[in-house]
Amino acid sequence: MFPVLQSSLPYLLQGAVYTIVLSAIVVVFGTILGVGVGVLAAVGGKALRAAVTAYIFVFRGIPVLVVMFLGFYSFPAMGLRLDAYTAVAVSMIVYVAAFVAEATRGAIAAVPAGQLEAAKSLGMRKGMMMREIILPQAMRLLIAPVLNISLMAIKQTSYASIVGAWELSFAAREVVERTLAAFQIFLGVMIIYFVICYPLSLAARALEKRLAFDH
Amino acid sequence: MEAFIVFFTRYLPAFADGFLITTWVAALAAPTAMIWALVLIIPRLARWKWLTRLVDGYVEIMRNSPLLVQMYLLYFGLPLLGIFWSSIVCGVIAIALQHGAFLSEILRSGIQSLSQRQWEAGSAIGLRRSAVIRLVILPQAFIRVLPALGNQLIVLVKDTSLVSAIGVMDLTLTGKVTIERSGASFEAFIAVAMFYLVLTTVLGLALRVVEVRAARRYG
Amino acid sequence: MNPAADLASRGEEIVAINGLRKSFGAIEVLKGIDISVKRGEVVVVLGPSGSGKSTMLRCVNFLETFEQGAITVNGRPVGYKTTGGVRKPVSELENARLREHVGMVFQSYNLFPHRTVLQNVMMGPVKVKGMNAAKARDLAMRLLGKVGMDHKADAYPGRLSGGQQQRVAIARALAMEPSVMLFDEVTSALDPELVGEVLKVMRELAEEGMTMIVVTHEMGFARSVADRVIFMDGGVVVEAGPPADIMANPKTDRFRGFLSRHLSEDG
Ligand SMILES: Nc1ncnc2c1ncn2[C@@H]1O[C@H](COP(=O)(O)OP(=O)(O)OP(=O)(O)O)[C@@H](O)[C@H]1O
Ligand SMILES: [Mg+2]
C-alpha cells in the first residue's frame, strides 16, 4: 500500500538504530553528569552552588539546536576534530545534564527536613547523611523526572540531522528528497519514533504515581 | 572578549532581524497553540466519547514524536496536496499542533485536580453544565496550572529554533548563515545563545509576575 | 538498665542548661533557661503552644543554634566552647559525637522510609558507631522486642500505624545507648487509641532508670511518671518541682490556668 515506505524501511530502520544509540549515549552520560552536578551543588560551598545555578540557568534558557551548533562550530576552534555525530552527542550530554541537575536538586530538596534531623540525631555527619538518607530517597524521586527528560532527549536527537549527523530524521529527508513521498515517509518515521518513545512515556506516568514515599 | 565585541557590533543588524523573526514566530505560535489546546479539551468536557478518544490518541502521537518530523511533514507534504504555505506558516502551525497537545494535557490535569464539589456548587446555583465549565471550572483550572503553562511557553519559544530547518531566517539560521557566508566563527552562536537567553528570561520573569498577581488575587 | 548500679551514680548531672537564650530573627523565644537533669531523672516539660518547649529541647542536641548560655551533656559542651572568655562553635564532628549520646524522638516519627524497621534501628549502631552487623542485629531485635515491634522487623515504615512507627522510632534512638532521651510531643500526631501503647513504652523506660526529658500535653503521664515537672511560658521557666507538689498547688496564675484548661480534657 505504501511502496516507497516499504522499500525504504530497511534504510529508515538503520537510521533508527543510530537514533537509539545516540539517545542511549546522551541519556546515560547526561544522567550521570547531571546527577553528579546536582549532588555537588548540594554538598558544595557557595561558589560551587552559584556555578551550578548559572550552568542550569543558561542551558535551560537556550534551544538545544543552538547548543548543538555551538558545539559543532566551537569544538574545531578548540582544536578538537569531532565528527558531527560526536559533536552532537557531547553537546546534548551537556544540555541534558543541566535538566537532570535541576531535577536532582529538586529531588534532594524534596526529602523532608525531619529526615535530616533524625539522621543528625543519630550522630550522622554530612557525608554519611547524604549517602545513607538523602540520596537513596532522592534517587527514587528522580526516576520519573529523568524518564521524562530522556523522552525529551530522544525526540531532540532528531535535530542532529540539522547539524549534519546521520540518524533517523536525516535518513528520512534523504529518502524524501529522492522519492518526494513526504507523507508516507514522515508519517512512517513519526510512527517509528512513537514506538521508541511510547513505552518510556507509559513507564514515566506509571512510576510517577508509584514511587512517592508516604512519609 | 574584545574580538567578540567587535564581531558582535558588526553583525548586530543581522542578529536583530533574526531576533525579530524568532519573536514573531513565537508570538504567532503561542496564542495559536493555546487556542488549539482549548479546542482539544472540548470533547472531554462535553463528554463526546469517541472524539475524546481521538483527541487522546492525537495527544499521545504528538507527545511521542519529534516536532521536527511533524514540521517536515507539513512543509514537504502539503505541497503534494497542492497547498503552498510559506515556511513561517508551516512552522507556526507545526509548533501549535504539538504544543497545543502539551498545553491541553496541562489544562486537563488542572481540571482533574478541582474537586467534584466545584461542579456541584456550580450546578447548585442553577448554572447549566456549559456555564459551569466557562465560569467556574476553566478559570480556576487555568490559575492552578499557570506555572506549568508558563514553563511550556518557554519550551515553545525555544522550539521556534526548529523553523530554521525549513528555511525561516530566524535567530538560529542567522547564526549559521553568518558563519558560513561571512567566515565568522563559533562566536556567532554565543551571540545567538545570548539572544535566546534574553528572550526566555524576560518571558520567564513576565510569567512570574503574572503568577504572583494571579495567586494574590485568587489564591 | 541496671537499677542497682544506677542508684549509686544517681545525682550525677547528665544535662545542664545554663542561661539559655535563643532568638528567631528579632523574636526572642528562650529568655534565659536553667535546667539541670540528673542521671535516671524523668523531667516532664509542660507549657502552652509557642512557649519554647521544642526549641529548648532541640538546643540540647544542637538541632538549633543559640546565642547565649551554655549546655552540657555528660559534662561535654553542646554547640559552643568557651575558652579564655571567647565563645566558639565546636566542629561538626564534635556535634555529631555528642549527638550519639542524646536520643531524640520526634512528633512526626521521621523513620527512614527506604529502610525496613530492623534496618532503621541498626543504622545508628552500624553506620555511626561501627558496630558489627550481627551484634547490631541482636541489639536491634532486643530493643524491637522491648517496644513490642519485633514481629514487624522486616516491614517498611510506610506500612505501619503511627503508634507502631513511633515505637520503632524509640527503639532506633535507644539503639545508640544514649545517656539521655528527648521526647518532643511524641504522641501528639497519634490517633487517640494509639497514644496508650507509646506512653506505656515510655513509662517502662522511665522505670528502668533511663534519663528522660519529655515535652508533652499528657497530664496523666506527667503526674504519674515525672520526677520533676517544669512549666514553661513565654520562653522562661515559670514553675518547677515534683508533680505532686506543683501540679496540686500551682503558685502562679499562669500555671493554674494552664492546668485547669488541660486537666478538664484528661483525667
Ligand atoms: N524555625 C523557626 N523560625 C522562626 N520562628 C520559630 C521557629 N521555630 C519556632 N519558632 C517560634 O518560636 C516560638 C517557640 O516555638 P516552639 O516550637 O519552641 O514552641 P512549643 O512550646 O514547642 O510549642 P508547641 O506546643 O506548639 O509545640 C514560637 O513562637 C514559634 O513560632
Ligand atoms: Mg513543640
Side-chain angles (χ1 to χ4, degrees):
Chain A
M1 205 158 88
F2 302 108
V4 180
L5 181 58
Q6 271 170 21
S7 64
S8 51
L9 198 56
Y11 191 63
L12 292 177
L13 289 180
Q14 201 185 332
V17 171
Y18 274 69
T19 290
I20 291 172
V21 171
L22 179 59
S23 302
I25 291 172
V26 166
V27 165
V28 169
F29 289 101
T31 302
I32 294 172
L33 179 63
V35 170
V37 168
V39 171
L40 266 187
V43 297
K46 270 209 184 98
L48 193 58
R49 228 175 312 150
V52 170
T53 304
Y55 161 64
I56 291 173
F57 168 75
V58 167
F59 280 93
R60 282 174 55 103
I62 57 183
V64 66
L65 180 58
V66 171
V67 178
M68 288 179 184
F69 274 125
L70 197 54
F72 183 76
Y73 287 113
S74 60
F75 288 131
M78 292 187 280
L80 291 167
R81 298 234 155 273
L82 303 180
D83 59 292
Y85 201 79
T86 314
V88 162
V90 174
S91 310
M92 280 195 77
I93 287 170
V94 175
Y95 190 77
V96 164
F99 286 76
V100 174
E102 173 77 346
T104 305
R105 286 207 306 193
I108 289 175
V111 176
Q115 290 290 309
L116 310 191
E117 297 195 337
K120 263 192 197 173
S121 300
L122 289 179
M124 284 195 195
R125 300 182 61 190
K126 283 215 181 82
M128 184 184 290
M129 203 148 79
M130 191 46 97
R131 221 170 39 241
E132 300 289 336
I133 308 300
I134 300 178
L135 287 185
Q137 294 186 51
M139 287 309 128
R140 203 175 143 128
L141 297 175
L142 201 53
I143 294 174
V146 164
L147 277 178
N148 281 321
I149 293 167
S150 305
L151 212 55
M152 170 194 92
I154 296 172
K155 291 187 281 175
Q156 287 174 345
T157 58
S158 64
Y159 311 169
S161 63
I162 304 174
V163 182
W166 192 84
E167 40 63 78
L168 179 52
S169 300
F170 200 109
R173 280 203 59 169
E174 286 176 332
V175 174
V176 171
E177 267 156 32
R178 198 154 37 79
T179 63
L180 298 179
F183 270 107
Q184 309 177 26
I185 296 302
F186 288 129
L187 274 175
V189 163
M190 273 173 68
I191 292 170
I192 297 177
Y193 275 107
F194 183 85
V195 168
I196 299 171
C197 293
Y198 193 54
L200 271 177
S201 221
L202 289 180
R205 242 171 292 169
L207 289 174
E208 251 159 55
K209 289 184 195 119
R210 282 241 323 271
L211 286 179
F213 285 111
D214 13 315
H215 280 279
Chain B
M1 193 64 206
E2 215 180 292
F4 180 68
I5 293 168
V6 170
F7 162 86
F8 194 76
T9 40
R10 184 153 145 224
Y11 291 102
L12 190 62
F15 285 130
D17 280 357
F19 183 79
L20 282 181
I21 300 274
T22 289
T23 316
W24 177 232
V25 172
L28 288 174
T32 316
M34 198 60 227
I35 291 167
W36 182 227
L38 287 169
V39 172
L40 286 175
I41 55 169
I42 290 175
R44 174 165 271 108
L45 291 173
R47 297 171 168 158
W48 297 328
K49 238 192 191 156
W50 281 101
L51 219 45
T52 304
R53 269 191 214 161
L54 203 66
V55 167
D56 286 348
Y58 164 81
V59 168
E60 287 301 345
I61 291 173
M62 287 292 123
R63 282 161 56 110
N64 290 291
S65 62
L67 174 54
L68 180 66
V69 179
Q70 295 157 14
M71 207 177 274
Y72 282 160
L73 182 63
L74 289 187
Y75 184 71
F76 295 107
L78 289 181
L80 302 182
L81 301 179
I83 302 171
F84 296 92
W85 284 346
S86 72
S87 38
I88 284 207
V89 173
C90 283
V92 165
I93 291 181
I95 293 170
L97 286 176
Q98 178 167 80
H99 283 268
F102 275 93
L103 291 169
S104 82
E105 276 295 280
I106 293 171
L107 283 178
R108 188 175 65 91
S109 74
I111 292 168
Q112 274 175 349
S113 76
L114 291 178
S115 81
Q116 193 59 35
R117 259 189 241 129
Q118 293 293 331
W119 290 91
E120 286 160 10
S123 25
I125 58 172
L127 294 176
R128 291 171 40 175
R129 191 178 156 84
S130 62
V132 176
I133 290 169
R134 225 169 356 99
L135 302 173
V136 182
I137 301 300
L138 275 184
Q140 288 192 64
F142 196 79
I143 286 162
R144 221 174 255 210
V145 296
L146 215 48
L149 292 175
N151 282 340
Q152 193 61 38
L153 279 187
I154 290 174
V155 177
L156 182 148
V157 169
K158 292 192 287 174
D159 275 353
T160 61
S161 63
L162 291 183
V163 296
S164 66
I166 53 173
V168 178
M169 224 356 155
D170 73 335
L171 256 177
T172 306
L173 194 53
T174 305
K176 193 169 172 235
V177 167
T178 311
I179 287 181
E180 281 168 5
R181 291 212 193 126
S182 11
S185 77
F186 70 96
E187 282 101 337
F189 272 98
I190 294 186
V192 168
M194 278 167 46
F195 276 111
Y196 275 110
L197 201 55
V198 168
L199 200 57
T200 52
T201 306
V202 169
L203 180 62
L205 290 175
L207 287 165
R208 277 300 300 158
V209 171
V210 173
E211 267 169 49
V212 169
R213 287 245 174 101
R216 209 175 288 150
R217 189 173 306 173
Y218 306 99
Chain C
M1 309 260 153
N2 182 342
D6 268 3
L7 268 184
S9 55
R10 252 184 208 253
E12 178 195 344
E13 188 171 58
I14 301 291
V15 178
I17 303 174
N18 289 307
L20 175 63
R21 284 176 176 271
K22 155 87 185 163
S23 303
F24 287 112
I27 304 156
E28 193 172 39
V29 298
L30 298 178
K31 303 172 181 166
I33 302 274
D34 300 285
I35 296 174
S36 160
V37 182
K38 302 202 163 47
R39 182 182 296 277
E41 212 179 3
V42 177
V43 171
V44 170
V45 182
L46 303 176
S49 184
S51 56
K53 307 179 299 286
S54 297
T55 307
M56 180 273 289
L57 207 61
R58 291 160 58 81
C59 284
V60 173
N61 68 350
F62 207 57
L63 287 180
E64 300 284 357
T65 58
F66 47 92
E67 293 85 42
Q68 276 183 52
I71 303 177
T72 60
V73 173
N74 288 334
R76 294 164 62 145
V78 175
Y80 308 93
K81 230 184 317 209
T82 307
T83 40
V86 188
R87 186 174 185 258
K88 271 199 203 140
V90 304
S91 69
E92 191 225 346
L93 174 63
E94 279 176 275
N95 282 324
R97 287 273 161 77
L98 180 113
R99 290 190 186 113
E100 292 179 28
H101 302 281
V102 183
M104 179 135 189
V105 187
F106 303 87
Q107 182 176 336
S108 50
Y109 337 127
N110 299 344
L111 291 179
F112 305 131
H114 59 300
R115 293 277 182 261
T116 64
V117 164
L118 181 63
Q119 289 168 338
N120 262 274
V121 181
M122 285 173 64
M123 190 174 275
V126 173
K127 301 285 176 191
V128 178
K129 282 184 158 177
M131 188 184 284
N132 80 49
K135 232 178 117 187
R137 193 188 173 82
D138 288 345
L139 171 68
M141 284 311 292
R142 188 166 57 72
L143 290 169
L144 283 172
K146 190 159 143 167
V147 300
M149 287 301 297
D150 43 349
H151 63 296
K152 292 282 189 190
D154 294 322
Y156 281 88
R159 295 272 137 133
L160 306 180
S161 74
Q164 291 177 323
Q165 290 193 52
Q166 197 58 296
R167 284 184 282 146
V168 174
I170 293 173
R172 180 177 66 180
L174 289 174
M176 291 301 288
E177 301 178 311
S179 314
V180 58
M181 288 278 287
L182 312 177
F183 295 85
D184 190 4
E185 299 202 28
V186 296
T187 57
S188 297
L190 299 178
D191 293 337
E193 71 271 20
L194 301 178
V195 170
E197 62 189 57
V198 174
L199 290 182
K200 178 169 161 275
V201 168
M202 290 166 67
R203 199 179 295 260
E204 286 164 5
L205 266 185
E207 280 160 12
E208 285 168 16
M210 174 58 75
T211 311
M212 298 163 55
I213 306 180
V214 183
V215 172
T216 186
H217 287 295
E218 298 288 335
M219 296 297 146
F221 183 85
R223 195 171 313 108
S224 59
V225 182
D227 295 308
R228 189 149 46 98
V229 167
I230 289 176
F231 174 67
M232 280 180 67
D233 194 7
V236 295
V237 173
V238 178
E239 289 194 39
D245 293 354
I246 72 161
M247 288 179 80
N249 300 306
K251 290 194 193 63
T252 58
D253 289 343
R254 279 199 272 179
F255 193 25
R256 195 172 305 123
F258 177 84
L259 285 175
S260 66
R261 254 174 286 131
H262 283 270
L263 288 179
S264 52
E265 69 193 44
D266 170 305

